[in-house]
Amino acid sequence: MRKISYAQALNEALREEMDRDPAVFLMGEDVGAFGNVFFVAKGLLDKYGPDRVRDTPISEQAIVATGLGAALAGARPVVEIMFIDFATMAMDPIVNQAAKMRYHSGGTLKAPMVIRTQGGVGRGNGSQHSQSLEAWFMHIPGLKVVMPSTPYDAKGLLKSAIRDDDPVVFIEHKRLYGTWGEVPEEEYTVPIGEAAVRRQGGDVTIIAASRQALLAEDAARILESEGIHAEVIDLRSISPLDRETIGRSVRKTGRTVIVHEACKTGGIGAELTAVVLEEAFYYLDAPVIRVTGEDVPIPFNADLEAAAIPSVDKIVSGVKSILQS
Amino acid sequence: MTASATNVPGNVLGDVSKETALQLYRGMLAVRMFEERMIELSTQGKVGGNLHLDTGQEAIAVGVCHALAPSDLVVGTHRSLAHAIAKGADLRKLAAEMLGKATGYCKGRGGKMHLTCPEVGFVTANGIVGAGLGIAAGVALRQKMTGSGPAVVSFFGDGAVNHAYFHETANLASLWNLPLLMICENNGYAVSVRADRAMAGPGVVARAAAYGIEGESVDGNDVMQVSAAAKRALGAVHAGNGPRLIECRTIRVHGHHEGDQQHYRPREEIEEAVKRDPIDRMRGFLVGQGWLTVQEETALQRELASEIDDAVAFAEQSPSPAVSELHQHVYGEERAGGSRP
């Protein structure tokens, strides 16, 4: 099968959905001629014109609110928040507005919109361009939150997100845009809410999403060579959360290591731990372990930056420590 | 503030037919009487949450909505019962929503601050100051992209003009030439803070002008002036000339919400507001023209009271939403069970 990059996969998803449905349009900072800072929107302005590929001022609140209004009126906007850190300026339209429209209208209104953004640590961007804020959105009923790790999932999940009738926060990872993977040329989608079991194993379950799911796979390969069989779950979306797959795996392995790049306190690992307890408490052979980012703003210095987030080594150590307990 | 206003109706007298004038009067009276009934029901504990009412500002909602084509859309505020009623909302469904009933516009999930009345083009109210502006601009963007014609009206208070929403939306709407009519209901107060202590510079119209949006300021207690200004502005908006703004100067009569004792305001200011009551003024005008007799006034009040009685009775007899349906409408496809996905 042909291989394309994560960024190209997203670009194809946008292209195919814009071809399929005239109600789909893009809006955000530098999505036009620039084609998005990671080239996800490359070539779309030329193909679809400035009406459907709309460069906006640096006005995050208006970008999301305007997208929401358009969605309420029948459009399917894909709005972009360039870095997830900037979503802090759009929390009202995301959290108070988009997430609530269907519910507080008693089901009369719907907000079929995608809020594309990217998070994660990488490349010395420092504390205001490197956060992993997914737990904020997972916390809000009414939002769906998707975090693809591979080009295949990135394309299939973005297509599903665009077709979804609810607001979807679609979080890409800044260090994945240049990664390559197999993506079929024919039409497909990946359902939102279904985790992928990337590796089967009976000794321990590693749960992760986005780039950390890839590191978890790397860790599992190393562990395999030492005779430790880790099952790796890539969540793909954290809301809806695939509790069944998590429960099934942990009931089998009895041990859980949760990995995420966001800092530990109040991160998705806390929720995932609770889910593991709810689904598989009596099957656990050891306490759940979290391998997460440190509780610090992301530093600029490369060594400090690397130390602030999980690595393959840290995941391997985490797994070994739980096997000893 | 609005000291220049007088008790003489505006300069659009010549344009107003008896029929129009009576419609405007009836509209304002309907809002006033419905809201007064809501105060009663609130006192009885039947309406939950804070009541933010439009008392003394009815001329704005009614004047603007009267100028709209039926297909034009409205986005409201936290103080939006008047906007919904003026746009033609069904009083039964409205009363039912106020009482949180299953038959209400939002099946009891929204209440007054999150109202939607889609069949009359009232898109949504909003509990967040200024947020409606952003949403209205988006609705207008969709109208423009599909060339479907209707204009979108966004009501907002003077408090919203100090919010990022106002500035970001005005900028975008002007840049993109959106069919948006921005109606600032300047009642002089944002909760307890008087506008002159919150808003720097030469005012609302000048702020719009800074974004290239034409605007005008009118006496918001004169329903005929408001309606005439809205017609003018809508003409431009419908013609594709981009957004327009109207500042409607008024004075808040009641507190920010019912029960707010307004200890932060001089009494005279409230007395002045009462003197300028838009309904009294319109009644005075109608009587002066010989268009409304005492008997007709009584009949009209009786008719509205009976309509409101019917709406409230419907609401009171309606069932509450089933608690078993608590999780309905969070997402499009319903999920079984009570837990989060």
Side-chain angles (χ1 to χ4, degrees):
Chain A
M1 198 187 295
R2 68 168 181 155
K3 286 191 171 184
I4 60 174
S5 75
Y6 189 88
Q8 285 168 338
L10 292 164
N11 183 275
E12 277 193 1
L14 294 173
R15 227 175 253 274
E16 288 176 17
E17 293 308 296
M18 289 180 85
D19 277 341
R20 194 184 58 81
D21 183 352
V24 177
F25 75 99
L26 310 187
M27 181 165 70
E29 293 157 15
D30 306 294
V31 298
F34 206 75
N36 153 288
V37 287
F38 297 95
F39 307 112
V40 170
K42 193 179 168 192
L44 299 180
L45 175 65
D46 290 341
K47 183 153 190 223
Y48 300 102
D51 201 40
R52 290 183 71 194
V53 182
R54 306 183 83 92
D55 267 329
T56 64
I58 300 175
S59 303
E60 282 80 5
Q61 207 173 45
I63 292 167
V64 180
T66 308
L68 171 59
L72 295 178
R76 289 193 170 265
V78 180
V79 305
E80 179 173 321
I81 297 293
M82 190 190 282
F83 285 73
I84 199 168
D85 315 71
F86 312 160
T88 54
M89 276 153 305
M91 287 308 266
D92 178 65
I94 299 172
V95 172
N96 293 327
Q97 310 295 337
K100 273 53 174 181
M101 281 296 155
R102 182 186 286 278
Y103 194 77
H104 71 206
S105 69
T108 299
L109 298 175
K110 60 175 181 172
M113 67 188 298
V114 181
I115 301 161
R116 269 193 56 243
T117 186
Q118 52 89 6
V121 171
R123 312 197 303 196
N125 284 320
S127 60
Q128 293 172 343
H129 289 67
S130 304
Q131 291 172 92
S132 302
L133 300 178
E134 58 272 11
W136 289 15
F137 302 108
M138 182 193 204
H139 184 64
I140 304 299
L143 296 178
K144 293 178 178 172
V145 185
V146 175
M147 299 177 70
S149 66
T150 67
Y152 180 92
D153 281 356
K155 180 174 177 181
L157 283 165
L158 183 53
K159 286 167 73 84
S160 294
I162 291 169
R163 296 177 195 186
D164 200 288
D165 275 348
D166 293 313
V168 179
V169 179
F170 193 91
I171 306 172
E172 299 153 17
H173 194 293
K174 57 175 71 64
R175 281 172 77 180
L176 291 180
Y177 290 113
T179 58
W180 290 65
E182 290 188 343
V183 175
E185 306 214 30
E186 58 271 21
E187 159 80 15
Y188 72 96
T189 57
V190 174
I192 295 172
E194 286 184 16
V197 180
R198 298 294 186 198
R199 285 177 78 90
Q200 302 276 349
D203 296 333
V204 59
T205 299
I206 310 176
I207 306 171
S210 191
R211 178 167 177 268
Q212 293 302 324
L214 304 184
L215 300 196
E217 277 190 82
D218 290 344
R221 272 189 283 275
I222 292 169
L223 292 162
E224 186 78 41
S225 68
E226 299 178 27
I228 299 166
H229 308 290
E231 184 143 303
V232 177
I233 296 176
D234 180 348
L235 293 170
R236 301 202 285 199
S237 70
I238 57 171
S239 178
L241 185 65
D242 186 350
R243 302 172 65 104
E244 286 75 9
T245 297
I246 294 168
R248 197 182 312 123
S249 177
V250 177
R251 286 193 293 273
K252 178 172 77 176
T253 64
R255 292 171 201 271
T256 309
V257 175
I258 294 161
V259 185
H260 64 68
E261 201 165 305
C263 60
K264 180 177 262 182
T265 304
I268 66 168
E271 178 64 30
L272 289 165
T273 302
V275 168
V276 167
L277 299 183
E278 286 164 0
E279 297 288 331
F281 180 78
Y282 293 106
Y283 297 83
L284 288 178
D285 298 321
V288 175
I289 281 186
R290 286 181 283 167
V291 178
T292 69
E294 299 293 320
D295 283 331
V296 295
I298 300 303
F300 168 68
N301 172 277
D303 295 338
L304 294 182
E305 184 190 53
I309 58 167
S311 61
V312 174
D313 286 349
K314 287 181 193 171
I315 299 169
V316 168
S317 304
V319 169
K320 287 182 175 170
S321 74
I322 200 177
L323 286 167
Q324 281 154 14
S325 66
Chain B
M1 294 283 306
T2 49
S4 66
T6 70
N7 281 324
V8 179
N11 58 2
V12 290
L13 252 179
D15 303 337
V16 179
S17 68
K18 176 182 174 185
E19 192 201 0
T20 300
L22 285 170
Q23 275 175 4
L24 292 167
Y25 180 66
R26 187 186 198 283
M28 290 195 291
L29 204 55
V31 172
R32 175 73 55 88
M33 290 175 68
F34 187 88
E35 290 199 336
E36 281 176 350
R37 189 68 63 86
M38 290 306 123
I39 299 176
E40 280 171 34
L41 292 169
S42 173
T43 311
Q44 295 164 20
K46 291 175 179 167
V47 174
N50 282 337
L51 265 184
H52 311 89
L53 299 184
D54 207 51
T55 313
Q57 304 177 194
E58 295 88 346
I60 305 170
V62 170
V64 170
C65 290
H66 186 266
L68 300 180
S71 57
D72 289 336
L73 301 169
V74 166
V75 174
T77 65
H78 62 291
R79 203 179 287 289
S80 240
L81 274 179
H83 307 135
I85 294 170
K87 194 71 173 78
D90 181 301
L91 294 187
R92 285 182 151 203
K93 287 158 95 172
L94 203 55
E97 190 57 34
M98 293 299 288
L99 269 61
K101 297 300 184 74
T103 52
Y105 267 115
C106 307
K107 304 191 180 88
R109 267 77 163 177
K112 166 186 59 71
M113 281 201 284
H114 315 108
L115 196 63
T116 182
C117 318
E119 73 266 19
V120 296
F122 181 83
V123 180
T124 181
N126 212 299
I128 306 291
V129 166
L133 271 162
I135 291 171
V139 176
L141 173 61
R142 174 66 176 171
Q143 306 299 353
K144 186 178 163 76
M145 288 177 76
T146 54
S148 59
V152 183
V153 177
S154 176
F155 289 95
F156 53 97
D158 47 284
V161 180
N162 298 318
H163 201 286
Y165 268 127
F166 174 85
H167 296 274
E168 293 192 6
T169 302
N171 185 50
L172 256 200
S174 182
L175 274 173
W176 291 353
N177 216 40
L178 301 181
L180 178 68
L181 176 55
M182 304 164 78
I183 303 289
C184 178
E185 301 180 299
N186 187 349
N187 68 11
Y189 275 88
V191 191
S192 71
V193 178
R194 212 168 62 192
D196 60 6
R197 288 173 46 220
M199 197 184 302
V204 180
V205 174
R207 286 191 180 184
Y211 294 105
I213 297 173
E214 277 183 37
E216 65 175 308
S217 184
V218 300
D219 180 353
N221 284 38
D222 181 338
V223 69
M224 291 182 286
Q225 241 192 80
V226 171
S227 194
K231 264 187 201 133
R232 282 193 295 276
L234 280 162
V237 171
H238 279 139
N241 297 331
R244 287 288 187 279
L245 176 140
I246 302 170
E247 178 195 26
C248 301
R249 291 170 285 112
T250 182
I251 314 181
R252 203 179 74 201
V253 179
H254 290 193
H256 169 65
H257 54 79
E258 297 311 298
D260 167 5
Q261 298 302 314
Q262 306 202 73
H263 54 80
Y264 47 83
R265 276 178 92 177
R267 274 234 88 63
E268 309 80 66
E269 209 179 78
I270 301 169
E271 284 160 10
E272 168 67 15
V274 171
K275 271 190 233 157
R276 295 184 52 222
D277 188 300
I279 296 178
D280 289 347
R281 283 170 70 176
M282 193 61 180
R283 187 187 302 112
F285 167 72
L286 289 169
V287 170
Q289 292 288 110
W291 290 350
L292 185 71
T293 64
V294 176
Q295 291 85 340
E296 284 165 340
E297 162 80 5
T298 310
L300 176 59
Q301 296 221 16
R302 208 171 284 150
E303 181 196 324
L304 287 170
S306 130
E307 232 180 277
I308 294 165
D309 284 344
D310 166 72
V312 170
F314 169 80
E316 297 206 283
Q317 286 153 18
S318 289
S320 267
V323 172
S324 63
E325 293 172 355
L326 173 67
H327 290 263
Q328 235 177 39
H329 310 304
V330 180
Y331 295 99
E333 60 279 14
E334 304 299 344
R335 292 189 175 78
S339 69
R340 287 281 302 280

